[in-house]
Every structure is written in C-alpha cells, then in structure tokens.
C-alpha cells in the first residue's frame, strides 16, 4: 500500500509566517485523532520549524513522498539551527486563521541548551522550544510567567512589538 504524509498525517496544516525576518516560519500540523495525544502541543499539534525557503520546499517534498507506512514528520527536528544568539529570544506567532492556536517560540543560547540533560530531546533543532495556546489570554499569562522566571537580569532586553490581532 502506498501513502503520502500530506494526505494522511499532515492533511490539516497551516503556515505561521515569521513575525521578524530573523525568526523561522512554523508549519503547524493538526495531527488526526488516531495519532494525536500526549507529547503534542495541546495534545494534537506538531510544529515544524522552518528557517529557510529551501527547508520549506524540502519539507513539502518530504510530505509528498510516497511511502509504505506512516512515519513521524521529524525530518528537521534534529537539524541544527542556523540562528545564533547570546540572549534568549522569544516570539509570539498569531493564528493565521480562525480555529488555530497561538504559538510561543523561544530560541535559547547555547549556554542554556547545554544545561539540559538531553539537549537533543529538549530543544528542537538544538535551540528552540515551542508552545501552543488556545487564546490570547493563555499566551499572555504564559509570557508573564516566563518573564518572572527569567528575572530582571535576563529580561532586561524584552520589548513588545505591536502587531495586528490574530484569530483564535
């Protein structure tokens, strides 16, 4: 039997475009109920971090490949990020369409990622964490908790950038 991920596992997906030119795009896959569960964002979403246009094309080709069994769409999960930073960078990704969640992406400097017992499991592409939220109130609360956890010395460079309101 021949199948494609684009028709099965990744049939429902949407692109979240980068809020700043230096950040990645995110493809969010709404995993079908038979494959969703714990370990996925909000129990059902699989985010794919795409740093370049070439990676977007490569990933779409990966989803379109014919295969004999379903596999995880983890093609880029362990590919090292090209984004390097000395500071913690976090960004809010607004839902591009109604019914999709808000995303919160963090890019962690190497000196933080190396503190994790298993950085390859903890950080996507060796540098990122990503969370999904059902609404603006939830992401606002999470960002406040995140900033409080960082404390005044780490959070001194944080600035809110006004943007167009999203849908949730």
């Amino acid at each position: 039997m021949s199948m494609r991920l684009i028709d099965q596992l990744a049939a429902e997906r949407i692109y979240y475009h980068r809020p700043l030119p230096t950040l990645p795009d995110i493809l969010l896959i709404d995993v079908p109920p038979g494959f969703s569960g714990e370990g996925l964002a909000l129990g059902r979403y699989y985010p794919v971090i795409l740093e370049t246009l070439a990676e977007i094309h490569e990933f779409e080709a990966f989803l379109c490949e014919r295969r004999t069994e379903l596999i995880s769409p983890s093609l880029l999960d362990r590919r090292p990020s090209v984004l390097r930073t000395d500071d913690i960078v976090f960004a809010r990704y607004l839902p591009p369409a109604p019914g999709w969640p808000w995303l919160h992406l963090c890019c962690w400097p190497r000196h933080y990622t190396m503190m994790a017992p298993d950085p390859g499991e903890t950080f996507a592409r060796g540098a990122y964490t990503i969370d999904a939220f059902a609404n603006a109130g939830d992401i606002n609360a999470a960002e406040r908790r995140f900033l409080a956890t960082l404390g005044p010395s780490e959070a001194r460079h944080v600035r809110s950038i006004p943007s167009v309101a999203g849908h949730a």
Side-chain angles (χ1 to χ4, degrees), residues 43-141:
R44 64 188 265 199
Y45 296 106
Y46 188 93
V48 180
I49 297 167
L50 301 157
E51 295 183 329
T52 66
L53 185 57
E55 286 182 352
I56 292 171
H57 292 302
E58 179 183 5
F59 196 77
E60 285 292 330
F62 171 78
L63 292 177
C64 291
E65 285 178 25
R66 294 226 168 261
R67 42 188 103 246
T68 57
E69 60 186 7
L70 288 178
I71 62 168
S72 170
S74 60
L75 176 69
L76 303 174
D77 288 2
R78 296 197 184 275
R79 183 177 294 176
S81 171
V82 296
L83 179 60
R84 297 288 175 247
T85 179
D86 291 329
D87 297 313
I88 298 169
V89 175
F90 70 95
R92 177 185 292 207
Y93 287 69
L94 305 173
W100 290 88
W102 294 72
L103 301 180
H104 187 264
L105 177 94
C106 287
C107 182
W108 297 89
R110 185 165 170 76
H111 63 275
Y112 279 100
T113 62
M114 297 318 299
M115 287 191 241
D118 187 357
E121 288 297 317
T122 306
F123 299 95
R125 302 194 65 167
Y128 297 103
T129 56
I130 189 164
D131 293 297
F133 300 92
N135 57 58
D138 290 349
I139 196 170
N140 287 336

